C-alpha cells in the first residue's frame, strides 16, 4: 500500500451524529471521489477497509454511516431501524446528501467527479441520490436493487451497475425485475450481474453477529463483485495514472 | 500490437470443410489457448479480429468455423442451417470438438489450459463442449444461453460466464431463467450479466447484411461485454506477464 491517510468525520443526518470514515490517497492534488454505503447492519471495519483500498488506488473515498455510529449485531434491532428507512426515500436522501456534502467539502475531492457504491441499504441510498438528481458519475449497488417513486429514476444521469446473488431471498427475482423495468423505462444506462448460487450479503466475510436466513458469504463471487465495482469506477471515474 | 502471426486452418466437421482462423502471439513458448465461437451467421472478419486481439494479449486463439466457410447475409438461409444445428447437441459437439482438436494440435497451445468463448450459436457450442465433459478452464457465452439435455450440465467442470441483452427477444427472460436453473441445479460456478436495453447480437458492429428483428448493436455494452470476457479469461486462464 502507498501512504493512505484516514480520519473519522462526524456530521449530522437523520437526527443522529453520523461518524464516517474518510480515506485520502498520497499526494496533495484533487482526485475523483467515491462514497461507500454500508449494509443495513451499518458501517464496520470491512467497509472502512474498502475506503482504504480505493484510496490506495488513487480515489478520495468516504465510507459513510447510516445509523449514528451503530453497527447492529442483532437482526431484529437492525430491521426495526432499517425497514422504515428503506420505506422513506426522503430520509435515505438526507443521509446520502449529508455524506455527499462531507465528500464535496474535502479539498482533496474533485466535486465534479464523484461516484457512489453501496451494499444493500447503502446501495438503496445511492440509487435515491440518483433519483434526486445528484451529480454522480456512476452508481454501483450490490444487493440493493430497490425501486423508487414513480418517474424519479429518469433523473439518474449516470451509469448504474447492479449486482445480486441468484439465490438472494431478500432481493428476489420479482424485485430485480421491477428494478430493471424501472431503470429501463427511465432510459438509464444500466447493467445487472447475477452471481450464481449466491445469497444475500454474499460479498461480506462472516462477522461476529447473528445473520438472517438467506444471508451467506460466497468468497469467489465476493472477489468478483469487488472487481466488477472497481471496473465500474475505472470506466466512469478513471484515476489519472 | 506486438507481432501476431495468423493463418487459416482447414479441417473437417459436420460433413463440411471448416476454415478457422488461428492467431499466435509472439514467441515460441506454450500459451493458454482460447476457442472463439461465432454467431449463427458464421465466422467473419470481426470474430477473426477477436482472435488477433487475444493473441496480442498472449493467448493462442482459434476463431472456429461452423458453416464450412460460409458467412450468411440472408437471415432465412442462416436460420435454415442454424435451427436444426441448435436442436442437435451431438452435431454442435462434433463442430466444437473438431475446433478443439485443431487447438490441441497446435504446438504453441497448452492443451491443459483452454477456454472457450462464444457468441450466440458459438456460445451454445461452447456450452455443449462443457456438457460433454471437455477439459476447459472457462466457458464464456454472449447471447447463447441455451439449455442442454437433462443432467448433462453437471459435467461442466469450469466457471461459466454468460451475458445477454435485457431486450433480446431471441434469448428472452424465460430462456435465461431456464438456463440459470439448469446450471444452478448442476452445481456449476456461474454468473449472468444482463446488459440493460441491449438487443440480440448487441456486441457486433453493423455489417452489410439484413438483420432479423430484435437484433441491434449497442456500442457501450459491446465494449463492456468484451471487457467482461477478457476479465473471465484473466481470472481463469491468466497469461504469465
Amino acid at each position: 500500500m502507498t501512504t493512505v491517510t484516514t480520519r473519522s468525520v462526524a456530521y449530522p443526518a437523520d437526527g443522529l451524529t453520523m461518524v464516517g470514515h474518510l480515506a485520502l490517497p498520497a499526494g496533495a492534488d484533487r482526485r475523483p471521489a467515491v462514497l461507500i454505503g454500508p449494509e443495513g447492519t451499518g458501517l464496520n471495519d470491512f467497509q472502512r477497509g474498502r475506503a482504504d483500498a480505493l484510496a490506495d488506488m488513487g480515489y478520495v473515498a468516504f465510507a459513510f454511516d447510516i445509523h449514528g455510529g451503530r453497527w447492529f449485531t442483532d437482526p431484529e434491532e437492525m430491521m426495526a431501524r432499517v425497514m422504515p428507512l428503506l420505506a422513506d426515500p426522503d430520509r435515505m436522501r438526507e443521509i446520502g446528501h449529508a455524506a455527499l456534502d462531507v465528500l464535496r467539502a474535502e479539498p482533496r475531492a474533485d466535486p465534479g467527479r464523484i461516484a457512489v457504491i453501496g451494499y444493500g441499504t447503502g446501495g438503496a441510498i445511492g440509487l435515491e441520490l440518483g433519483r434526486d438528481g445528484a451529480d454522480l458519475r456512476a452508481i454501483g449497488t450490490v444487493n440493493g436493487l430497490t425501486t423508487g417513486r414513480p418517474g424519479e429514476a429518469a433523473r439518474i444521469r449516470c451509469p448504474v451497475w447492479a449486482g445480486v446473488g441468484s439465490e438472494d431471498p431478500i432481493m428476489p427475482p420479482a424485485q430485480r425485475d421491477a428494478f430493471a423495468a424501472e431503470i429501463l423505462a427511465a432510459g438509464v444506462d444500466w447493467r445487472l450481474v447475477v452471481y450464481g448460487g449466491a445469497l444475500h450479503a454474499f460479498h461480506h466475510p462472516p462477522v461476529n453477529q447473528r445473520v438472517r436466513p438467506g444471508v451467506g458469504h460466497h468468497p469467489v463471487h465476493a472477489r468478483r463483485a469487488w472487481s466488477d465495482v472497481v471496473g465500474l469506477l475505472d470506466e466512469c471515474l478513471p484515476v489519472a495514472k
Side-chain angles (χ1 to χ4, degrees), chain A:
Chain A
M1 253 200 192
T2 61
T3 311
V4 167
T5 307
T6 67
R7 66 170 189 273
S8 295
V9 180
Y11 58 101
D14 197 37
L16 300 167
T17 298
M18 302 293 182
V19 185
H21 175 83
L22 183 68
L24 304 175
D29 53 332
R30 278 190 186 265
R31 295 294 181 90
V34 182
L35 279 182
I36 301 160
E39 296 74 13
T41 46
L43 182 59
N44 65 5
D45 279 346
F46 180 67
Q47 298 287 23
R48 291 184 188 99
R50 284 201 162 116
D52 300 350
L54 291 177
D56 193 50
M57 296 175 202
Y59 295 102
V60 171
F62 185 56
F64 63 90
D65 179 9
I66 59 175
H67 298 320
R70 287 199 66 179
W71 177 64
F72 291 97
T73 55
D74 180 86
E76 283 73 35
E77 256 193 301
M78 182 272 285
M79 294 291 276
R81 173 159 165 87
V82 165
M83 293 310 287
L85 180 59
L86 286 171
D88 190 338
D90 292 321
R91 276 180 70 200
M92 287 197 279
R93 290 175 190 191
E94 186 201 335
I95 291 172
H97 276 295
L100 195 53
D101 288 346
V102 170
L103 201 47
R104 289 184 192 283
E106 165 54 44
R108 293 290 310 284
D110 181 342
R113 289 187 292 162
I114 295 180
V116 57
I117 61 174
Y119 294 80
T121 302
I125 290 172
L127 288 168
E128 284 306 322
L129 281 176
R131 294 188 184 105
D132 200 40
D135 180 20
L136 298 166
R137 290 292 180 95
I139 299 171
T141 176
V142 180
N143 301 336
L145 282 63
T146 47
T147 43
R149 287 189 291 230
E152 293 191 339
R155 300 170 73 185
I156 298 175
R157 293 177 285 170
C158 63
V160 171
W161 176 96
V164 67
S166 73
E167 306 310 297
D168 184 341
I170 295 162
M171 201 57 62
Q175 178 60 34
R176 300 169 208 168
D177 292 347
F179 169 75
E182 179 193 292
I183 54 175
L184 177 73
V188 174
D189 172 12
W190 65 279
R191 273 169 289 173
L192 168 63
V193 183
V194 180
Y195 298 97
L199 297 170
H200 195 68
F202 70 89
H203 69 96
H204 202 299
V207 288
N208 183 25
Q209 64 185 157
R210 288 203 297 122
V211 296
R212 288 183 287 168
V215 169
H217 187 220
H218 192 303
V220 174
H221 284 321
R223 282 196 299 274
R224 291 170 177 160
W226 177 244
S227 171
D228 286 346
V229 164
V230 170
L232 173 73
L233 297 176
D234 197 47
E235 176 193 319
C236 300
L237 202 71
V239 177
K241 295 288 187 340

